[in-house]
Amino acid sequence: MSLKEKVAVITGAGSGIGKAIALKFAEQGAKVVIAEINEKNGADTEKEIKEKGFTAEFIKADVSSSDSVKSLIYQTVDTYGTVDILVNNAGLEYFTTIEETTEEQWDRTMNINLKGVFLGTKFVLPIMREKGKGNIINIASVTGLSAWPGLGIYSASKGGVVLLTKATAAENGKYGIRVNSICPGIIQTPLFEEQYIGATENPEAVQEELFKQSPLKTFGDPADIADAAVYLAGNQSRFVTGHSLVVDGGLTSFVGELI
Ligand SMILES: NC(=O)c1ccc[n+]([C@@H]2O[C@H](COP(=O)([O-])OP(=O)(O)OC[C@H]3O[C@@H](n4cnc5c(N)ncnc54)[C@H](O)[C@@H]3O)[C@@H](O)[C@H]2O)c1
């Protein structure tokens, strides 16, 4: 139990990667706060974790709202006394070219994916600094390191997350606070399955094409990202900060088949 008695807030924990992280952290002994905008999914995740005999609390939160994030952190401190780990995971994406992206899509992407990370970090840092320790994990993306046509705005937001992670790590290492990001490749979550591959005319052909770009010829599972998060949250990674941990089946290491 590498996270025994740790208090962990995970945003967007009602689905996909965030939910897998919440489950795995709870299995590792953490008391988890499921910070989620979708009330049903948040409450269901809390129930699922409690039924396994672990500790969890759903708090409704919108990561793009300053008041909501502040209240999330205060409510967590009221309930559990502190925050040891914050996972800024909530995010969304629009599959659209840069010229077709609307200003509304740009604002929504930046407000949730990038400002959401900033707000969570801003309100949790004073608590962690006072304790002289803390751990922040930001869920970025491989598209924050290199670009995929049709995901330009999303890439820009995730590139921001990668650099915000490094800046936060640089400013807060002296207070005993570690800050890292995870850059997932293609992970089978509702976001990917319903909004991307499931929305294409021929999902099987798309899958085959995507496998050609990936050395391991498979998609990732949310639990793969949760395992990486457990590593970054625990003491095994005590000398790791400012890092972007790529978990992508080799996608970003591969320039394509030699023709
Ligand atoms: N699935 C992938 O292939 C993949 C790859 C790289 C990065 N990511 C990133 O991983 C993270 C999780 O993605 P996922 O695939 O699990 O998606 P998902 O859609 O399954 O889950 C995202 C969760 O975030 C919640 N959310 C959205 N807006 C919110 C807000 N304003 N406040 C609070 N919660 C909010 C949603 O309700 C949902 O429960 C995202 O940041 C995403 O960009 C996913």
Side-chain angles (χ1 to χ4, degrees), residues 10-21 35-39 41-42 45 59-65 68-69 72 88-93 108 111-113 116-117 138-144 148 154 157-158 161 182-196 219-220 222 225 247:
I10 302 139
T11 70
S15 173
I17 291 170
K19 181 172 179 173
I21 293 173
E36 172 58 63
I37 201 164
N38 181 316
E39 287 187 54
N41 288 351
T45 304
I59 298 178
K60 188 176 180 192
D62 175 358
V63 298
S64 66
S65 152
S68 181
V69 177
L72 163 71
N88 288 305
N89 162 78
L92 54 69
E93 63 190 350
R108 193 145 185 257
N111 283 342
I112 294 174
N113 292 8
V117 175
N138 298 324
I139 306 301
S141 167
V142 289
T143 62
W148 227 328
Y154 178 74
S157 72
K158 294 299 188 177
V161 171
I182 299 176
C183 294
I186 301 173
I187 310 298
Q188 286 181 294
T189 67
L191 184 145
F192 171 69
E193 289 185 325
E194 288 159 24
Q195 292 176 38
Y196 177 56
F219 298 139
I225 306 306
V247 184

Side-chain angles (χ1 to χ4, degrees), residues 29-237:
K31 298 170 186 167
V32 298
V33 170
I34 299 140
E36 172 58 63
I37 201 164
N38 181 316
E39 287 187 54
K40 182 178 182 312
N41 288 351
D44 285 352
T45 304
E46 179 193 292
K47 190 163 168 264
E48 202 176 317
I49 294 175
K50 282 183 169 166
E51 278 172 2
K52 288 176 191 271
F54 305 123
T55 309
E57 175 97 3
F58 161 54
I59 298 178
K60 188 176 180 192
D62 175 358
V63 298
S64 66
S65 152
S66 182
D67 286 347
S68 181
V69 177
K70 204 189 286 180
S71 150
L72 163 71
I73 300 300
Y74 289 172
Q75 277 187 68
T76 304
V77 172
D78 273 354
T79 308
Y80 293 125
T82 192
V83 181
D84 297 298
I85 304 160
L86 170 66
V87 183
N88 288 305
N89 162 78
L92 54 69
E93 63 190 350
Y94 292 105
F95 298 92
T96 172
T97 59
I98 289 165
E99 78 276 14
E100 282 170 357
T101 301
T102 63
E103 276 188 63
E104 193 192 6
Q105 287 173 325
W106 167 274
D107 286 344
R108 193 145 185 257
T109 304
M110 292 302 161
N111 283 342
I112 294 174
N113 292 8
L114 186 52
K115 187 180 165 194
V117 175
F118 158 67
L119 290 175
T121 302
K122 177 179 167 63
F123 293 120
V124 87
L125 276 175
I127 294 161
M128 292 180 171
R129 280 191 183 197
E130 203 183 312
K131 285 173 16 145
K133 60 180 175 181
N135 195 311
I136 301 174
I137 300 168
N138 298 324
I139 306 301
S141 167
V142 289
T143 62
L145 304 172
S146 41
W148 227 328
L151 278 176
I153 303 311
Y154 178 74
S155 287
S157 72
K158 294 299 188 177
V161 171
V162 168
L163 260 296
L164 182 59
T165 302
K166 290 181 193 293
T168 315
E171 285 181 9
N172 291 283
K174 59 180 175 281
Y175 302 107
I177 301 167
R178 293 193 296 115
V179 192
N180 292 287
S181 63
I182 299 176
C183 294
I186 301 173
I187 310 298
Q188 286 181 294
T189 67
L191 184 145
F192 171 69
E193 289 185 325
E194 288 159 24
Q195 292 176 38
Y196 177 56
I197 202 162
T200 61
E201 274 177 25
N202 189 345
E204 277 179 21
V206 174
Q207 174 169 313
E208 204 175 305
E209 281 307 310
L210 288 171
F211 282 178
K212 280 188 196 158
Q213 299 175 29
S214 173
L216 289 183
K217 310 293 175 209
T218 183
F219 298 139
D221 188 85
D224 295 320
I225 306 306
D227 283 332
V230 168
Y231 164 70
L232 289 175
N235 206 41
Q236 309 93 308
S237 60

